[in-house]
């Protein structure tokens, strides 16, 4: 895995922690979860293209 893919993975994990903390503290926000899913899909896409 390249450095940029590892960085995107780290950003995705940190974003999950932030979105979860926001949900616990202030209630769920569909847009935040949608954004996290999109970020996760982009990260998976980057990982898949780097592997092949």
């Amino acid at each position: 895995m390249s450095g940029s893919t590892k960085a995107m993975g780290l950003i995705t994990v940190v974003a999950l922690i932030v979105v979860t903390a926001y949900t616990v503290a202030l209630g769920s926000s569909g847009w935040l979860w949608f954004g996290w899913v999109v970020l996760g899909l982009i990260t998976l896409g980057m990982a898949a293209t780097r592997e092949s």
Side-chain angles (χ1 to χ4, degrees), residues 23-49:
T23 299
V24 168
L26 301 174
S28 183
S29 171
W31 284 110
L32 285 177
W33 285 106
F34 175 75
W36 182 82
V37 168
V38 170
L39 181 63
L41 290 173
I42 291 169
T43 303
L44 285 175
M46 286 180 65
T49 56

Side-chain angles (χ1 to χ4, degrees), residues 14-27:
V14 170
L16 175 61
I17 293 167
V18 169
V19 170
T20 303
Y22 181 91
T23 299
V24 168
L26 301 174

